[in-house]
Amino acid sequence: MRSAPRVEEWLVFLGFVASAALWPRGPHAALSLASFAPHGLLCWQLLTQPPRRSRWWPLAAGAAAALWMPPAWASLLAASLYLIQPGLRLGGLSNGLARPNTPQQLRHLLLALIAYPALAAALLLGGFAWAAGRLAGSPWPWIWQCWAALASALFLCAPLALAPQRPLSVPLRMELALILLLSAGGVGLLLSAGEPPGVPSLLLFFPLILWAACRTGPGGAALTCGMVSLLLSLAALPPAGLARGGMGDAATDLLLALVLNVSGLLVGILMDGHRADGEALRAFRARIESLVNHSPTMMSLKDRDGRYLLVNAAYARRVGVAAESLLGKRPEDVFDP
């Protein structure tokens, strides 16, 4: 039983190191939807495990990234990973925090992530780029893109790390797997088209995100958003046909990704709340019916027209008919004048 969390942790670590390949190659490089996936995965690790178990993770990512980018820039990206833990503490996010189940809790999570770890890391990277003279003109556009990409990565991985209200059933897990498979197939169709679509690519997958949110809650929505963002980022790498140039397109995609991610999580939380309210109502109704039917006292409930809405077992036995047959009738329909 203890080996399962260990295996999961090692799989996350391998994905963490591999995703360092998505880091921007330099301060002048355009950003993708998953440029800061390592930051999101490290956030997941910090929220699920004690921080001491991942202290060396940034060093491993920096060492791997130094193989294909300037060592100074790789070291700075690795250093930005160390800002996540103090940012989570400042935002009041710690190990054992429950998954948000109200829009207010979702807002608190969003503000805590974008105001502390995401903003601090974006300012560090943008400040270095500006001081090194690698950015022509104002550094704020690139800092803004870093902030949006960091916020999206953190905001997708954090809900997956937080404990859900209830585990998914096997049919819902199979349905979520189908949604993820359709997402992968959609990215494959975009690649086979050979040219970018006329609208932002992520917008085409928003119906699948809503499907996952409505059926599996915020966790499924976050997983679908994350997978779509990762696949689209991989598809945008050369020599794929979806590669895009220019900072303007990247800024639009990053802002749209952040908005769609928040929307999907919000829909998932609202649907979870609707299901929880329905279950609570059914449980309350079952308790009331049990109390009424097991009472030896004759009980009935009528509407304004005098028709029976509720009849307990004692009442039905006294009348000598089934309780269901009395519903909708008036007393004069049952008793002789």
Side-chain angles (χ1 to χ4, degrees), residues 8-255:
E8 181 181 7
E9 183 177 351
W10 275 104
L11 289 176
V12 172
F13 170 71
L14 293 177
F16 167 80
V17 175
S19 62
L22 298 173
W23 268 343
R25 296 297 191 269
H28 62 283
L31 301 177
S32 66
L33 299 176
S35 288
F36 294 101
H39 292 71
L41 292 175
L42 182 61
C43 178
W44 181 92
Q45 173 70 11
L46 291 172
L47 290 175
T48 55
Q49 302 294 337
R52 64 178 181 273
R53 299 180 63 159
S54 55
R55 289 176 181 173
W56 56 278
W57 283 31
L59 299 177
L67 298 176
W68 54 78
M69 64 179 64
W73 180 246
S75 300
L76 190 70
L77 287 168
S80 67
L81 291 168
Y82 283 107
L83 296 176
I84 295 179
Q85 181 181 353
L88 294 177
R89 290 182 178 177
L90 288 174
L93 306 176
S94 58
N95 191 8
L97 186 69
R99 183 174 294 178
N101 52 22
T102 64
Q104 292 75 18
Q105 294 177 355
L106 179 67
R107 181 184 61 185
H108 169 71
L109 177 64
L110 173 62
L111 293 178
L113 291 174
I114 67 177
Y116 295 106
L119 182 60
L123 290 175
L124 174 65
L125 298 176
F128 171 83
W130 177 75
R134 301 296 297 276
L135 293 178
S138 174
W140 295 112
W142 198 78
I143 293 177
W144 146 252
Q145 293 184 41
C146 284
W147 172 83
L150 282 163
S152 295
L154 297 175
F155 203 53
L156 288 178
C157 293
L160 294 175
L162 303 179
Q165 293 180 338
R166 61 182 64 85
L168 292 179
S169 62
V170 174
L172 287 180
R173 292 183 181 182
M174 295 178 63
E175 187 172 352
L176 180 58
L178 174 62
I179 295 173
L180 297 177
L181 184 62
L182 291 176
S183 302
V187 176
L189 290 177
L190 290 178
L191 280 175
S192 64
E195 59 182 12
V199 297
S201 301
L202 188 61
L203 192 60
L204 300 175
F205 295 90
F206 191 55
L208 293 177
I209 296 174
L210 291 180
W211 180 7
C214 293
R215 295 293 296 161
T216 62
L223 186 59
T224 305
C225 288
M227 180 174 179
V228 170
S229 299
L230 177 61
L231 292 177
L232 290 178
S233 298
L234 293 175
L237 295 176
L242 297 181
R244 298 189 178 193
M247 301 293 285
D249 290 340
T252 302
D253 286 348
L254 292 172
L255 178 59

Side-chain angles (χ1 to χ4, degrees), residues 288-289 292-295 297-302 306-331 334-335:
I288 294 299
E289 290 181 352
V292 169
N293 286 326
H294 288 83
S295 173
T297 304
M298 296 173 57
M299 297 183 184
S300 65
L301 179 65
K302 306 184 184 72
R307 299 181 183 275
Y308 289 110
L309 297 176
L310 176 66
V311 174
N312 72 339
Y315 197 103
R317 285 195 299 269
R318 178 64 179 83
V319 176
V321 296
E324 292 78 8
S325 64
L326 296 176
L327 301 181
K329 296 182 179 180
R330 296 187 176 91
V334 179
F335 300 100

